[in-house]
Amino acid sequence: MPDADALVAAVTEADAAGEPVLLVGGGSNLVVADAGFAGTIVHITSRGRAVVPADDDAVEVTVAAGEPWDAFVAHAVAEGWTGVEALSGIPGTVGATPVQNVGAYGQEVAQTISAVRVWDRMLRGERTFTAAECRFGYRHSRFKADPARHLVLDVTFRLPRGELSAPVGYAELARTLGVAVGERAPLADVRTAVLGLRRGKGMVLDAADHDTWSAGSFFTNPIVDPDVVPAGAPSYPQGDGVVKTSAAWLIEHAGFGKGFGLDRPGARVSLSTKHTLALTNRGGATSDELLALAREVRDGVAARYGITLVNEPVLIGCAL
């Protein structure tokens, strides 16, 4: 895809000059220090899709890194390509999705990615990784583990054809659709249901709703030993003897309810009034204020349950 050449040239020029480089797609998963970023910012806006019929039952579609993610999902649903419909409404770009193995409502991009093409900034050449070589884990990949090395150029997805979704793997979504977990539903119905659920949690941007002024879910769901999970908390086996529990449950039961912080004089940050995982800007907030709230929540959960929450957004020039 031609735009990839311009991306590589911009990053290579900055690397040659010894400049720090910040790669930005949609910017929805970043928290940047109030002092800003001292270096070169490369905004990834490359566009393009190339579709190859894989067989009678599936297509392989290669998508440029700068394509808006939700526009691609909408296109896939309209074309009758299954496997990404539950990832509707997620902001950002296609190229960012393999970095943290984006997932929601029972789907992850790792389930449909067949290859990721990158510019290797260390070897100074293109490389293509198969899904297995991407080392996908929960909100993790080889690209997230080594963020200064790989510039994602495009992502290839293998998507089955069909009018029905992939098996619905998330109980809340299944209830909304009126199906059992593991059953399928019409693609368009799944997309509509997911968008409705996300709006109800303030996870679809609305300029008039400060609950949507956030970097999405701020903490990942902890993966821990089963005996660490508090009584009553959700617990989902992950293999190798560990389980995933709910960060939102831990936050709320540690005393940080929806809207926590709003009652403070002059409050400019708070937990969302719809969803305890979102730390929101109520207007004019600084990154320092947001991070102070994040530390308060993290430390409160650790004191109550002995589990340390980990941030999901990438922190630029700052830390928890």
Side-chain angles (χ1 to χ4, degrees):
M1 294 183 178
D3 287 346
D5 294 337
L7 273 178
V8 170
V11 172
T12 300
E13 181 180 349
D15 284 344
E19 283 275 330
V21 177
L22 175 60
L23 303 174
V24 177
S28 57
N29 198 49
L30 300 178
V31 175
V32 181
D34 294 315
F37 177 75
T40 298
I41 299 173
V42 177
H43 187 197
I44 300 170
T45 59
S46 52
R47 295 288 190 271
R49 304 177 191 139
V51 180
V52 177
D55 51 46
D56 290 342
D57 299 320
V59 298
E60 286 207 341
V61 53
T62 299
V63 188
E67 284 276 348
W69 171 254
D70 191 54
F72 168 61
V73 174
H75 180 74
V77 169
E79 292 290 327
W81 304 337
T82 71
V84 294
E85 57 281 350
L87 303 178
S88 293
I90 294 175
T93 58
V94 169
T97 62
V99 176
Q100 67 166 18
N101 185 17
V102 164
Y105 295 104
Q107 286 183 352
E108 293 179 333
V109 292
Q111 296 166 333
T112 52
I113 286 176
S114 60
V116 179
R117 185 169 69 102
V118 307
W119 175 260
D120 188 321
R121 294 165 61 189
M122 181 180 293
L123 298 180
R124 298 186 180 182
E126 285 188 14
R127 301 177 68 185
T128 298
F129 295 101
T130 65
E133 293 170 333
C134 291
R135 301 175 192 163
F136 289 126
Y138 172 62
R139 302 296 177 269
H140 195 71
S141 69
R142 73 182 302 151
F143 315 116
K144 187 172 182 178
D146 198 357
R149 179 164 182 173
H150 301 107
L151 165 64
V152 175
L153 302 177
D154 52 53
V155 185
T156 300
F157 300 85
R158 182 183 175 89
L159 303 172
R161 303 175 191 265
E163 296 180 357
L164 298 180
S165 68
V168 177
Y170 197 80
E172 182 184 27
L173 178 57
R175 287 194 300 271
T176 302
L177 290 163
V179 301
V181 172
E183 291 183 349
R184 301 173 188 266
L187 283 174
D189 290 356
V190 174
R191 176 168 168 79
T192 297
V194 168
L195 289 173
L197 289 170
R198 290 182 66 86
R199 286 192 184 95
K201 296 175 182 178
M203 291 295 181
V204 176
L205 184 62
D206 179 350
D209 183 358
H210 287 271
D211 277 338
T212 74
W213 294 22
S214 76
S217 297
F218 197 89
F219 296 106
T220 58
N221 291 319
I223 296 177
V224 296
D225 291 329
D227 57 0
V228 174
V229 178
S235 181
Y236 307 101
Q238 301 295 295
D240 297 326
V242 297
V243 298
K244 181 167 65 179
T245 190
S246 167
W249 189 99
L250 295 171
I251 290 167
E252 189 148 8
H253 287 78
F256 304 97
K258 295 173 184 175
F260 176 82
L262 273 177
D263 58 349
R264 296 173 175 174
R268 299 197 295 185
V269 295
S270 78
L271 298 190
S272 167
T273 66
K274 301 178 181 69
H275 186 37
T276 56
L277 267 184
L279 278 64
T280 65
N281 178 356
R282 310 315 293 190
T286 66
S287 292
D288 282 347
E289 289 171 323
L290 185 78
L291 292 170
L293 176 62
R295 293 186 196 103
E296 183 178 2
V297 172
R298 179 200 62 189
D299 295 348
V301 169
R304 177 73 180 271
Y305 295 115
I307 297 173
T308 300
L309 298 178
V310 176
N311 53 285
E312 183 168 333
V314 177
L315 307 183
I316 305 297
C318 51
L320 277 186

